[in-house]
Amino acid sequence: MKRTHHCSQLRASDQGSTVTLCGWVDSVRDHGGILFVDLRDREGLTQIVLDPANKGLEAQFASIKPESVIAVTGKVEERFGGTANAKLATGEIEVHAVELEILNVSKTPPFPMDDSADKVSEDLRMTHRYLDLRRATNTKMLRMRHATSRAIRNYMDDQAFIEIETPMLFKSTPEGAREFLVPSRMNPGAFYALPQSPQQYKQMLMVGGVERYYQLARCFRDEDLRADRQPEFTQVDIELSFIDREDMYELIEGLMKRVWKDVIGVDIETPFLRMSYYDAMNRFGVDKPDMRFDLELKDCADIFANSGFKVFKGTLDSGGAIKAFNAKGLADLTQGELRSLEDSAKALGAKGLAFIKSVGGEWKSPILKFFSEEEKAAIKEQLQVEDGDIVFFAATEWERACTILGRVRLDAAQLLVKRGKLTIDPNDYKFLWVIEFPLMLFDEDEGRFVSSHHPFTSPVPEDIPLLDSDPKAVRGQHYDLVLNGVELGGGSIRIHQPALQKKVFEDVLKIPADVVESRFGYMLKAFEYGAPPHGGIAFGLDRMVTILTQRTSIRDVIAFPKNQKGQEMMTASPGIATEKQLRDLHIKAVLPKKDS
């Protein structure tokens, strides 16, 4: 029997037609011997009526089990007597079966095939991912991912970009995250590395005159996993020539506008807000602030400049900072909630979490006794303290103080949401460009400067003289696009002059000249043959789709994700190599003693 319609297609106008449907048995209901079957395919549901008066059908009733695959031919009839289902696209009709073919009988699934399965062990669902994908919610997410990719491709085509694939087998350039290595059988002792991004290849495409490149690139990082991280992921990778930062902002804002409109029908406002890295850290304690709520950090150095509180005064005298924010309405937090906030602060290097509560017209705090009346009045005015509020403090070096309170701010916001005192609307899309990052950061462990973005990022032109005298003061021409506290992606204007790139490698980053030559020699040579000014950006496609579908984990929007141990449960990947495979590759597997 050849399918004539999908299971969300038939309407009252089809009454009297003879049709054939195929799909999975979603549910079976026995009404006095007559079976009502909800038949499901990827498009939706249609109700099938199986009358035992048709003896050919009745003989197969015992095989009609949920998740079995069947084909049905029958006549479309309108539902009468108030039985229409307004919640169903096909709710006005039903198909009265004439013929039935059991294509495959299913065992009882190990978990429900509806949204209640979200409460089932994720490892169980991932082991049976082929079942999990049948659920309407997951099918919808895969289709939204497809719609997102299609919108991106359509927009990039409109902007005259060329989609180009770059190699998967690259070489190791261990400046970034840990890489996956692939042994080369034909080159004993040598290894490929799976690309963390196509960074160097796309820059070579610019030298090659491509001018406008993009791809939906597969990327790989061998790092510890969490809800927004997978060992293999997809990024929207973009590079173009003869542009500056303003051109990039305009291009990407247009892309986001197209994606949000095409995929979920939402018009987003452009241009996006811009904020320097310093302002983001100083006001929100993080370089990817969620702009849907306030709770801003305040600088309290002026209040405590002459304080008798030795902890605060000592911090300021040593060049540190005192930051605070008012978690308005959270003075009723429990001891357990307070301990949890304190643990978050300690995990980032704080010795504790100082606070002041305002309850019943009184201020309560272990540190209150150290404050003068003038200091209390200044705190009240600067932080707008009212009854029911709690103020949190951090006193340490500036960046750490910001980071500590930035984390506490996010945790406090969730506590306020639970109490109904703060609304964070998932449909409120607050896009933000974070710009003017420092080009370099000093790594205390390595005793040298490292790139805050990557070593190909161009300095702001007027800051180039500072590379010799004060590298930490040099601003980079890179930019991050942030949405509701999530970094969607980032990029930069690149260095295209060989002398400047060599200087950054050797003089600033202190990479030995022979290492520069072995890793990047071809790039420096390429730049000597007329490299154009160029820049680019990359977005996490998985993260973007996670936001569009309002999920909390990128694993939900990947067809076959890996768990937090990097295992793909359905196929039991990774697996053990045979001795012959290892011999052919000229390598040995050396296991830790506890695993050997």
Side-chain angles (χ1 to χ4, degrees), residues 387-400:
D387 204 47
D389 294 349
I390 182 169
V391 176
F392 295 104
F393 295 88
T396 181
E397 55 92 11
W398 175 80
E399 189 170 8
R400 179 173 292 178

Side-chain angles (χ1 to χ4, degrees), residues 7-24:
C7 289
S8 187
Q9 195 169 357
L10 298 171
R11 300 292 186 269
S13 58
D14 296 299
Q15 184 179 359
S17 302
T18 297
V19 300
T20 297
L21 304 178
C22 300
W24 287 264

Side-chain angles (χ1 to χ4, degrees), residues 156-214:
M156 299 307 285
D157 192 56
D158 290 346
Q159 299 296 320
F161 280 79
I162 302 174
E163 184 172 8
I164 301 174
E165 295 178 349
T166 51
M168 285 290 185
L169 297 176
F170 185 40
K171 69 173 184 176
S172 179
T173 56
E175 270 70 40
R178 187 185 294 112
E179 299 162 318
F180 286 101
L181 297 178
V182 181
S184 172
R185 179 183 58 81
M186 294 181 289
N187 300 276
F191 293 80
Y192 299 105
L194 300 181
Q196 297 183 39
S197 81
Q199 180 62 44
Q200 295 179 48
Y201 282 117
K202 65 182 181 179
Q203 289 193 249
M204 292 303 97
L205 288 172
M206 296 303 102
V207 180
V210 169
E211 292 197 18
R212 292 192 163 216
Y213 140 94
Y214 86 100

Side-chain angles (χ1 to χ4, degrees), residues 346-390:
K346 287 180 176 178
L348 295 171
K351 294 180 180 178
L353 183 60
F355 66 89
I356 295 175
K357 284 184 184 181
S358 178
V359 181
E362 286 186 70
W363 281 19
K364 299 179 180 180
S365 169
I367 63 172
L368 199 60
K369 60 187 176 184
F370 300 109
F371 295 163
S372 68
E373 293 302 318
E374 291 78 8
E375 288 167 342
K376 293 176 189 176
I379 292 170
K380 183 174 183 179
E381 180 180 354
Q382 187 154 320
L383 292 158
Q384 299 181 350
V385 183
E386 299 174 311
D387 204 47
D389 294 349
I390 182 169

Side-chain angles (χ1 to χ4, degrees), residues 217-429:
R218 297 295 287 170
C219 303
F220 306 85
R221 293 180 186 174
D222 185 9
E223 54 190 357
D224 294 336
L225 306 183
R226 57 187 187 222
D228 65 347
R229 186 179 287 172
Q230 284 275 285
E232 54 180 318
F233 56 96
T234 303
Q235 71 181 30
V236 183
D237 201 55
I238 298 170
E239 197 83 7
L240 58 163
S241 299
F242 308 115
I243 52 100
D244 58 20
R245 284 176 285 177
E246 292 297 328
D247 299 321
M248 183 64 72
Y249 301 149
E250 183 179 358
L251 173 76
I252 300 307
E253 286 170 8
L255 173 60
M256 295 299 131
K257 197 173 184 70
R258 170 74 70 88
V259 168
W260 256 251
K261 182 65 174 178
D262 286 4
V263 178
I264 59 174
V266 171
D267 289 306
I268 58 175
E269 292 184 13
T270 55
F272 298 158
L273 180 67
R274 300 179 195 177
M275 185 180 298
S276 71
Y277 166 80
Y278 175 83
D279 283 345
M281 291 296 295
N282 205 41
R283 294 172 56 192
F284 302 101
V286 66
D287 60 3
K288 48 183 179 183
D290 190 336
M291 303 299 291
R292 291 174 296 175
F293 62 96
D294 295 325
L295 305 184
E296 284 197 29
L297 279 56
K298 303 293 183 182
D299 192 335
C300 298
D302 56 337
I303 297 175
F304 299 105
N306 299 302
S307 179
F309 185 28
K310 292 182 180 179
V311 174
F312 282 10
K313 185 67 165 61
T315 297
L316 294 176
D317 289 346
S318 62
I322 299 173
K323 305 289 293 184
F325 81 93
N326 183 357
K328 297 196 71 65
L330 193 57
D332 64 346
L333 83 175
T334 67
Q335 283 299 314
E337 290 170 337
L338 183 58
R339 277 195 301 272
S340 180
L341 295 179
E342 188 175 46
D343 290 343
S344 293
K346 287 180 176 178
L348 295 171
K351 294 180 180 178
L353 183 60
F355 66 89
I356 295 175
K357 284 184 184 181
S358 178
V359 181
E362 286 186 70
W363 281 19
K364 299 179 180 180
S365 169
I367 63 172
L368 199 60
K369 60 187 176 184
F370 300 109
F371 295 163
S372 68
E373 293 302 318
E374 291 78 8
E375 288 167 342
K376 293 176 189 176
I379 292 170
K380 183 174 183 179
E381 180 180 354
Q382 187 154 320
L383 292 158
Q384 299 181 350
V385 183
E386 299 174 311
D387 204 47
D389 294 349
I390 182 169
V391 176
F392 295 104
F393 295 88
T396 181
E397 55 92 11
W398 175 80
E399 189 170 8
R400 179 173 292 178
C402 293
T403 302
I404 289 168
L405 287 191
R407 173 62 184 274
V408 175
R409 171 183 177 264
L410 292 176
D411 292 348
Q414 291 305 314
L415 293 176
L416 288 167
V417 169
K418 287 180 182 179
R419 287 163 166 76
K421 296 179 179 179
L422 178 65
T423 299
I424 302 179
D425 184 357
N427 296 308
D428 183 14
Y429 300 104

